[in-house]
Amino acid sequence: MLLSRQTFALCVFRSRTSQNLLSPQNHKLPAFFAQAVYPYSTSSKSVTREHKNLPPAQQASLILNPPASTLPPPLSLPTLGTNLSAKEKLKFYYRTGRSYITFYRTGIVALWRNFKVLRQVRLRIPRGFSAEQALRAGVLSRSDYHFLRRTRSDLFRIPFFALVLTICGEFTPLVVIFLGLSGVVPRTCRIPRQIDGAREKAEARRRKSFRDGTISSAGETQDIQNVRKLPRPVILHVGRSLGLYSSLWDKIGVMPTLLLPRRIQKAVERIDVDDFAIEKGGGAKYLSGEELKLAAGERGLDVIGKSRDEIGSVLGMWIGHRKRTSIVDLVCRRPSAWPRV
């Protein structure tokens, strides 16, 4: 039997990449990312070979969780005391501004290091394969896949964000929050208030969409190909729940219904491959706290006010339902209304 071109390329590629391309000795993480103790390259094959002495839980965590350098560094701000003089208040605001500058500088340095590693991760993908195909073939792990996605996305945001940071300096957080420029900020440079604010707005928008009561079950949509045939109310709800279009469209009363089906299709495909990676890697229980929140948010699930165990339980339910329920149907229902597995 003749091998397909992609299968042959994959076999040849694996034979050439028997050793890990990314050594932790060659690519050390910054000190503030001390929790990211593993190399960037974390396919299941390399983990089994190089970290076979680790407990299974650590191996699964290594496979599923991207490096901490793809997330914002810790932000340490000074506290404002009481009964301070004008000079002491001035010093407080100065230290606060310097803390933000240090935070942004650290995030940009992390992104620069990610960029230098990005090409070596790309070399792991056989010619003719997409990142999604490489993930399903076992060449990339979920950690590798999200490292690629986040780094490429952040690189597109750097030019405009660098301009804003150069002009505004210490006032960048105020400008970003009050002018709604969160979308131009790389993930490694997003302050906690910005992240929490975006989640609050997304969940409030989702609650309003559910309250409107204009959606119905999309259970007949059992495969990705039928997304374009969804009724208009379902398309709009999925778009709002997954954050696929700006809330500005809702305010002006014009809906981008022509653009949404393609965006929904891409989002469904992205979630589908991530569901596959999480299940293959051992399940949602091995995701870190922040990765759980990110994964839940991408699926239109609420995370504010919920514990790590609660988020992990709902995400685990999602993975279990995916064997018999479509992604669109799950997005159109609250977890309490999901069918029993």
Side-chain angles (χ1 to χ4, degrees), residues 19 26 28 37 68 71-72 79 86 92 118 121 127 131-133 196 200 205 234 278 283 327 329:
Q19 60 180 7
N26 296 331
K28 293 183 179 179
V37 296
L71 300 174
T79 56
F92 164 77
L118 180 64
V121 177
R127 180 175 297 180
E132 290 74 16
Q133 290 173 325
D196 294 340
E200 290 173 0
R205 190 182 184 196
V234 173
I278 293 175
I327 291 174
D329 192 23

Side-chain angles (χ1 to χ4, degrees), residues 2-15 124-139:
L2 295 177
L3 294 176
S4 68
R5 184 175 181 179
Q6 282 193 338
T7 303
F8 177 76
L10 179 61
C11 294
V12 173
F13 175 81
R14 282 183 167 174
S15 67
R124 306 197 54 182
I125 303 176
R127 180 175 297 180
F129 276 60
S130 65
E132 290 74 16
Q133 290 173 325
L135 176 60
R136 290 188 181 275
V139 176

Side-chain angles (χ1 to χ4, degrees), residues 290-323:
E290 185 61 25
E291 289 299 327
L292 272 175
K293 293 181 179 180
L294 292 173
E298 287 186 348
R299 290 159 176 80
L301 303 174
D302 295 344
V303 300
I304 296 178
K306 298 182 181 298
S307 66
R308 185 187 186 281
D309 291 339
E310 290 175 317
I311 300 173
S313 176
V314 173
L315 188 57
M317 289 171 55
W318 172 290
I319 301 296
H321 279 89
R322 283 290 294 113
K323 297 178 181 179

